[in-house]
Amino acid sequence: MSDGQAPQDAADEPAPGLPAYYEDRSPGSGCLPPRAWYAGSDAAQLSLHGTWRFRLSPTATAHDDSFARPDFDDSCWHDLRVPGHWVLKGPFATEGSYGPSEELPHGGSPAYTNTAYPFPVDPPRVPDENPTGDHRHVFDLPAGWGEGPAVLHFGGVESCARVWLNGQELGNFQGSRLPHEFAVGHLLRPRRNVLAVRVHQWSAGSYLEDQDQWWLPGIFRDVSLHRRPAGSVVDHFVHAGFDDVTGHGTLRVDCEPAGRITVPALDLDLPTGRSATVPVRPWSAERPHLYDAELVTAGERIPLRIGFRTVRIEGGLLKVNGRRILLRGVNRHEFHPRYGRTLGPEAMRRDLLLMKQHNINAVRTSHYPPHPAFLDLCDELGLWVIDECDLETHGFTQQGWRDNPVDDERWEPALLDRARRMVERDKNHPAVILWSLGNECGTGRGLSAMAAWMRERDPSRPLHYEGDPSCADTDVYSRMYADHAEVERIGRRAEEPLADKELDARRRGLPFILCEYAHAMGNGPGGLSEYQRLFETYERCQGGFVWEWIDHGLRQQTPDGEVFHAYGGDFGEELHDGNFVCDGLVFPDRTPSPGLVEFKKVIEPVRIDGAGPPGTVRITNLHDVTDLGHLAFPWAYEVEGAARADGRLAVPVLAPGESADVKLPAPPGGPDDDGTEAHWTVRAVLAEDTAWARAGHEVAWGQLPATARRTAPAPAATAVPRRGEGNVIVLGPGTFDATTGALCYLDGVRIGGPRLEVWRAPTDNDEAAPWQPGPRPATEWRRIGLHRMRHRVDAVDVGPHTLEVRCRIAPAGTDLALRTVYRWTADQGRLRLETAVDPEGDWPAPLPRLGLRMAVCGSLGLAQWFGGGPGEGYPDTRAAARVGRWTLPVDALQTPYVRPQENGARPGVRWAQLTRTDGSGLRIEGDPDFFFTARRWSVEELDAARHTTDLRPGERLWLHLDHAQHGIGSQSCGPGVLPQHRLEAAPARFSFVLSSLR
């Protein structure tokens, strides 16, 4: 046979006046009704993963359907591993597999857009340029398979598939992140079964899948064959409620056909369809107790894991098992930097272990149902889940929602099909506590139809949807990126009223969640602590979900073999949204970012502080369900970061919401009187191993000052300035340029600077989203010219014991300026620099930073400091900065954000040292505390870089000793920096002492 180069034959043409199947609004044809997903059946099944044959075409009509014939010759095709995406190298990649390359000029690369559709908006039509992948796979049945009914299962295909088996067309389907199945038993043969699948990148369904992620076509989830003997389970529905008053659970399992359910731990053996009520241990995210059970019908046995829990809206609150819950959540896209949306069980488990270890208790499956194995893990490890439908039409905002499918009755069958496939697949998971209609679809009759069907099918779960401010179809009031002031108003049930009084009264009585907040793009998010205090203050505010879990950077290599992560525009997309796809709490390789470490601290379920009487530490249990019996409380007494004593506190077993003031031991050896700084550090750690962490894992911590802070005395200013050879001034260990007053050498070691610096490489939050109201910080900074400040020396004055340099620092084109005075004094071994800054002019924007910048020898590669650490921290992201003595290589101080930007500042630093391998180097002491940053490239080089591979280490280290930094905020999509964290231009005084280490 030929390879199918003939034009499309008549059988493949749509009937006159009818759309092609891939442009049909209907969800497809030929598929079986949706059913519950389960694993572990005793009925035979066969995975069809592996190497398939593949051909890519630039259009949907480039080839006829002769490739589906069993005798078709595909020898000239390429190999492609399935599951995977043809635009990426798959998880089982082999030589010849497709990846982003010149081999695939049409549809051969990933593409990223946030809201805009990457094709002309003309629903349900798609362009002729519609990359289409033809897939063929030959398989044999295993021995003993036998004859009879069987089901071919597809877990996920983007965006439209047409399927043949052994030359017989089975049907077609849309709904990329949803399961579809076909009855195929009558077509199977023992050997050389030929499965053929045609996948189109674009279809009518693409209009329903505009979900702020990479567009990645392909067969990316499980493909499998399932034996269905006579009498096997067609579908089943586990109902397992819990009565928090009696402590009893009620179990009923509905099944077609009828069978029996056994739960050995509860001594239950009852027919399906019949209820039983017995004492049980309930399921919750904190205590995810599951009962092993078995469902038996005439033709099949399947294992079940049953969790008893009841979800209700009561008294305006979302409650599980009678208790208000607080959602400490994240939004989660399915993503892998090599394999796109193809995730294996190891990556899923790793995600959930990281979440649990960072105190996260909830996941919103943005914006589609995840792989069902992920929900199994949520049941097992314990997370609350909002399961969201595979639906988003955000791109229609660009035309005022005109032609929005969710308000067009012609699309209603597709919308209902998507709702059914989610609910039926996932209905037996206790972790799922809310169904979500979808995301950012506006409003319309289609959503109302979905909500009505969901309520009828599963009244046990409330409904979520954010896009309708009236909450007409929902049971919770949900918002995105509401700022702190609005959240407080909502908490007081004093939000702006709706015009419809009845709807307003209903909404005002609903619980409130932020389904997205704290946009975790680049350096940030800021303001987490202030949000959490609101959630804890107002019972209506039941938490939220940070956007999002992971940066969607695709792993790439430069020609030199350096690895970086690509974002929008890196694959030549004609329309893209840049690095907006990189907005996660973990980097693409799943390394926790500083934002995740901060989030863990902010949401910790135990508060440890000094709010009680002197000599005590207050312990507060912030869990929803669990007492503190599973935790131990070690303490340490630390003097300038060094432990002097340690032990364990006897903390009462506090119930949720309870507090206790626990007496601290006496400080070892009595109180320190030499001026050194001491702290109590108290931690809450797991007392025993759990499913998600080992004993000793830190859940929460707190620090209390043990001695009063004292400022180190200034040098005695005994040194007398003197003129040296070559137009220099010598003051103590410092040598200065007599004309500029700049420090050139410290104890003979060359120094560049220090001088005043206000510029930082803008963060994604500084750049801010273009749709944000009000000025965007980085735009204003560049408009003013803060990235091109000029330094003018007005005077260099030598006194009896001082060197004073007066400067004016200002950008071109404006009268704004910073009058700056550097005043140097010294003893024989140390230099003290007092800096005074006074702004001139009417400053329209805050400063990025305010401090000193200097260059030192690149051999000073080891940093040690006493202050906040071990990770970075800024004014509104420093909750996780623990006071201690820290040591790291300078290279490890950098945070490798996918798009380089300001990073690496350590807050609250009292002193810092940079040393060589022999211990020689530089010591810096600050008054007051300062932000310490050290890197091998300048701020200008950092600002110019677009990927981490653009940063090239130089011969010098660049130090920033900042008196203050502007906050971070969340304005890349959310609110900006809170007033208390803004760095306004104002008079400032600060000092540093520099000395050499020998």
Side-chain angles (χ1 to χ4, degrees):
M1 297 290 294
S2 74
D3 65 353
Q5 297 299 316
Q8 184 182 34
D9 63 19
D12 214 24
E13 290 281 359
L18 295 178
Y21 66 91
Y22 51 85
E23 293 184 323
D24 195 331
R25 295 180 182 86
S26 73
S29 64
C31 294
L32 294 168
R35 62 187 178 110
W37 183 89
Y38 55 89
S41 165
D42 67 345
Q45 52 189 287
L46 175 65
S47 170
L48 300 181
H49 297 180
T51 303
W52 292 32
R53 300 296 284 165
F54 178 74
R55 173 184 66 188
L56 181 67
S57 305
T59 69
T61 57
H63 299 286
D64 62 22
D65 59 9
S66 61
F67 83 101
R69 299 170 188 164
D71 57 352
F72 180 85
D73 180 6
D74 59 18
S75 60
C76 64
W77 289 17
H78 287 266
D79 284 343
L80 181 73
R81 297 297 287 182
V82 172
H85 304 277
W86 69 67
V87 295
L88 301 176
K89 292 183 178 180
F92 311 102
T94 60
E95 291 298 322
S97 294
Y98 282 106
S101 73
E102 296 178 357
E103 294 180 29
L104 300 177
H106 304 288
S109 296
Y112 166 63
T113 60
N114 171 25
T115 60
Y117 290 105
F119 48 79
V121 179
D122 182 24
R125 305 297 303 279
V126 295
D128 290 343
E129 295 89 348
N130 187 1
T132 295
D134 289 336
H135 303 68
R136 281 172 55 90
H137 185 56
V138 179
F139 64 93
D140 299 334
L141 295 179
W145 181 274
E147 298 182 353
V151 166
L152 176 63
H153 172 91
F154 291 90
V157 182
E158 182 176 325
S159 74
C160 175
R162 186 180 178 193
V163 185
W164 295 261
L165 182 63
N166 292 328
Q168 178 68 46
E169 183 170 357
L170 304 178
N172 62 81
F173 60 85
Q174 301 174 34
S176 298
R177 267 67 71 179
L178 296 163
H180 296 85
E181 295 181 326
F182 298 96
V184 296
H186 60 295
L187 298 174
L188 291 172
R189 49 201 188 201
R191 298 185 61 79
R192 288 203 56 80
N193 292 280
V194 179
L195 175 60
V197 186
R198 173 163 284 170
V199 179
H200 305 288
Q201 177 158 16
W202 310 124
S203 69
S206 301
Y207 286 99
L208 306 180
E209 296 172 3
D210 188 24
Q211 290 141 324
D212 183 13
Q213 60 182 331
W214 293 100
W215 299 89
L216 298 174
I219 303 171
F220 64 91
R221 282 190 187 159
D222 303 333
V223 184
S224 51
L225 190 67
H226 299 256
R227 180 93 163 83
R228 308 308 298 147
S232 60
V233 175
V234 175
D235 195 15
H236 68 289
F237 197 165
V238 177
H239 306 272
F242 178 73
D243 187 326
D244 61 283
V245 176
T246 65
H248 286 66
T250 299
L251 175 66
R252 186 184 82 248
V253 178
D254 297 330
C255 183
E256 179 189 351
R260 296 194 71 82
I261 180 75
T262 58
V263 190
L266 297 176
D267 278 338
L268 287 180
D269 183 350
L270 66 157
T272 56
R274 184 178 298 177
S275 298
T277 300
V278 292
V280 298
R281 294 171 59 188
W283 186 96
S284 70
E286 293 173 7
R287 291 179 174 171
H289 188 78
L290 295 171
Y291 289 91
D292 290 328
E294 188 174 56
L295 173 61
V296 181
T297 64
E300 189 175 17
R301 307 173 77 92
I302 62 173
L304 302 179
R305 296 191 302 176
I306 296 173
F308 289 88
R309 58 105 186 93
T310 295
V311 186
R312 288 199 181 100
I313 307 294
E314 292 180 334
L317 300 176
L318 172 64
K319 294 182 178 181
V320 180
N321 301 333
R323 301 189 68 92
R324 172 192 182 261
I325 62 172
L326 182 58
L327 301 170
R328 302 169 170 92
V330 292
N331 287 274
R332 174 186 176 270
H333 269 297
E334 288 189 313
F335 180 76
H336 191 283
R338 290 174 182 259
Y339 314 136
R341 278 187 282 283
T342 299
L343 255 65
E346 298 83 5
M348 296 181 207
R349 181 174 286 275
R350 182 178 177 188
D351 278 346
L352 284 173
L353 292 179
L354 276 173
M355 290 178 192
K356 293 289 288 188
Q357 290 163 7
H358 287 83
N359 295 328
I360 291 165
N361 72 357
V363 174
R364 176 178 174 232
T365 68
S366 52
H367 299 292
Y368 43 82
H371 191 290
F374 180 80
L375 297 179
D376 273 350
L377 291 170
C378 291
D379 294 341
E380 173 192 330
L381 297 173
L383 280 99
W384 311 116
V385 174
I386 298 182
D387 200 358
E388 193 149 87
C389 195
D390 187 11
L391 177 60
E392 180 170 333
T393 63
H394 202 177
F396 286 91
T397 57
Q398 299 191 11
Q399 53 196 58
W401 293 110
R402 177 172 46 83
D403 296 329
N404 186 9
V406 303
D407 199 27
D408 183 335
E409 64 183 5
R410 294 174 296 178
W411 291 87
E412 194 169 300
L415 300 179
L416 286 172
D417 181 75
R418 289 170 183 253
R420 292 186 182 111
R421 290 187 183 279
M422 173 182 71
V423 171
E424 299 295 4
R425 193 197 74 171
D426 297 343
K427 57 183 179 278
N428 295 327
H429 289 283
V432 177
I433 59 171
L434 292 168
W435 299 119
S436 180
L437 301 177
N439 183 68
E440 293 177 320
C441 296
T443 60
R445 67 198 84 176
L447 291 172
S448 297
M450 292 169 66
W453 181 87
M454 287 182 184
R455 286 197 169 99
E456 180 179 0
R457 178 58 173 150
D458 180 23
S460 73
R461 291 178 174 96
L463 300 187
H464 168 272
Y465 178 65
E466 181 273 339
D468 182 1
S470 76
C471 298
D473 294 317
T474 70
D475 300 306
V476 297
Y477 180 24
S478 179
R479 285 291 312 281
M480 292 181 182
Y481 306 108
D483 63 25
H484 300 77
E486 184 179 0
V487 170
E488 183 170 20
R489 290 194 299 273
I490 292 171
R492 293 188 284 108
R493 302 188 190 270
E495 64 266 28
E496 191 72 22
L498 295 169
D500 186 309
K501 291 185 178 180
E502 184 175 340
L503 279 175
D504 181 68
R506 178 180 178 275
R507 190 184 74 175
R508 210 171 291 273
L510 298 179
F512 174 74
I513 63 172
L514 280 165
C515 68
E516 293 180 22
Y517 81 114
H519 197 245
M521 186 176 179
N523 187 336
L528 286 170
S529 296
E530 290 82 1
Y531 272 120
Q532 197 66 18
R533 296 296 86 80
L534 292 170
F535 301 156
E536 294 167 2
T537 300
Y538 298 100
E539 66 172 6
R540 184 191 189 190
C541 297
Q542 295 193 238
F545 298 82
V546 169
W547 185 267
E548 64 160 311
W549 175 242
I550 189 169
D551 285 341
H552 300 206
L554 290 168
R555 189 179 190 274
Q556 298 290 293
Q557 285 187 327
T558 67
D560 295 332
E562 293 181 278
V563 173
F564 69 98
H565 290 100
Y567 48 77
D570 285 337
F571 297 98
E573 305 100 302
E574 63 182 11
L575 189 67
H576 67 85
D577 286 293
N579 70 312
F580 201 73
V581 76
C582 296
D583 45 16
L585 290 172
V586 298
F587 296 126
D589 63 0
R590 287 177 161 76
T591 300
S593 76
L596 180 59
V597 178
E598 177 80 357
F599 191 45
K600 175 186 178 179
K601 173 61 180 171
V602 167
I603 63 174
E604 57 190 13
V606 181
R607 181 169 300 141
I608 302 170
D609 60 32
T616 67
V617 59
R618 177 164 293 175
I619 310 292
T620 303
N621 184 2
L622 300 176
H623 287 88
D624 298 325
V625 175
T626 307
D627 63 34
L628 297 188
H630 65 298
L631 298 175
F633 290 84
W635 61 267
Y637 185 84
E638 298 160 334
V639 177
E640 205 167 270
R644 290 281 183 86
D646 56 56
R648 290 207 171 195
L649 293 180
V651 176
V653 180
L654 301 173
E658 290 185 342
S659 296
D661 294 324
V662 180
K663 186 173 178 55
L664 290 165
D672 289 292
D673 57 6
D674 62 356
T676 54
E677 186 177 353
H679 288 87
W680 295 101
T681 300
V682 179
R683 304 185 302 130
V685 302
L686 292 178
E688 298 178 348
D689 291 351
T690 69
W692 48 271
R694 302 296 298 271
H697 167 78
E698 184 178 278
V699 173
W701 61 272
Q703 282 188 313
L704 292 72
T707 60
R709 290 283 307 279
R710 300 184 190 180
T711 302
T718 59
V720 177
R722 59 182 176 82
R723 292 281 178 174
E725 295 181 6
N727 195 35
V728 299
I729 298 172
V730 178
L731 178 63
T735 302
F736 298 81
D737 184 296
T739 303
T740 65
L743 176 65
C744 301
Y745 296 91
L746 177 67
D747 260 349
V749 177
R750 183 158 184 80
I751 298 289
R755 70 177 190 174
L756 194 75
E757 176 68 87
V758 297
W759 181 242
R760 74 184 186 193
T763 68
D764 290 313
N765 288 303
D766 292 336
E767 297 286 4
W771 59 82
Q772 293 282 21
R776 299 194 292 277
T779 301
E780 285 296 287
W781 295 341
R782 291 191 179 98
R783 183 183 67 81
I784 296 169
L786 299 188
H787 60 313
R788 48 178 174 79
M789 301 290 276
R790 296 292 179 259
H791 296 246
R792 186 185 75 207
V793 177
D794 289 336
V796 178
D797 296 329
V798 178
H801 295 285
T802 63
L803 174 64
E804 189 170 278
V805 183
R806 295 194 297 274
C807 298
R808 187 177 190 270
I809 301 164
T814 175
D815 65 350
L816 299 174
L818 297 170
R819 287 284 183 182
T820 305
V821 178
Y822 306 109
R823 185 176 185 273
W824 293 94
T825 57
D827 59 19
Q828 292 307 308
R830 299 186 298 167
L831 275 175
R832 177 180 174 88
L833 171 58
E834 299 174 27
T835 304
V837 181
D838 290 286
E840 292 181 350
D842 185 12
W843 286 76
L847 299 174
R849 69 177 349 132
L850 182 66
L852 302 179
R853 159 179 162 170
M854 58 191 294
V856 299
C857 179
S859 63
L860 300 174
L862 185 66
Q864 185 181 62
W865 71 99
F866 174 49
E872 72 182 29
Y874 291 80
D876 53 349
T877 65
R878 60 185 295 177
R882 193 177 320 200
V883 177
R885 187 179 301 191
W886 310 104
T887 302
L888 283 173
V890 166
D891 295 335
L893 296 177
Q894 317 312 309
T895 303
Y897 294 113
V898 173
R899 184 191 72 81
Q901 55 198 270
E902 167 62 34
N903 73 89
R906 269 54 182 183
V909 174
R910 284 70 158 161
W911 57 259
Q913 296 181 168
L914 289 168
T915 57
R916 302 177 180 87
T917 55
D918 63 2
S920 64
L922 173 68
R923 180 179 173 92
I924 305 153
E925 300 168 64
D927 180 17
D929 300 346
F930 61 101
F931 292 86
F932 167 65
T933 309
R935 55 175 69 108
R936 296 190 182 275
W937 36 78
S938 69
V939 67
E940 291 81 9
E941 291 170 321
L942 185 61
D943 189 13
R946 291 296 169 260
H947 295 95
T948 53
T949 48
D950 296 333
L951 295 168
R952 301 294 178 182
E955 295 181 355
R956 296 186 291 179
L957 289 183
W958 294 91
L959 305 188
H960 290 270
L961 312 175
D962 289 314
H963 172 64
Q965 280 263 1
H966 185 60
I968 296 297
S970 190
Q971 205 173 352
S972 53
C973 192
V977 175
L978 286 165
Q980 62 267 35
H981 302 306
R982 288 170 58 91
L983 178 54
E984 304 293 355
R989 305 290 184 270
F990 50 93
S991 67
F992 294 97
V993 175
L994 309 180
S995 57
S996 64
L997 301 171
R998 298 180 183 275

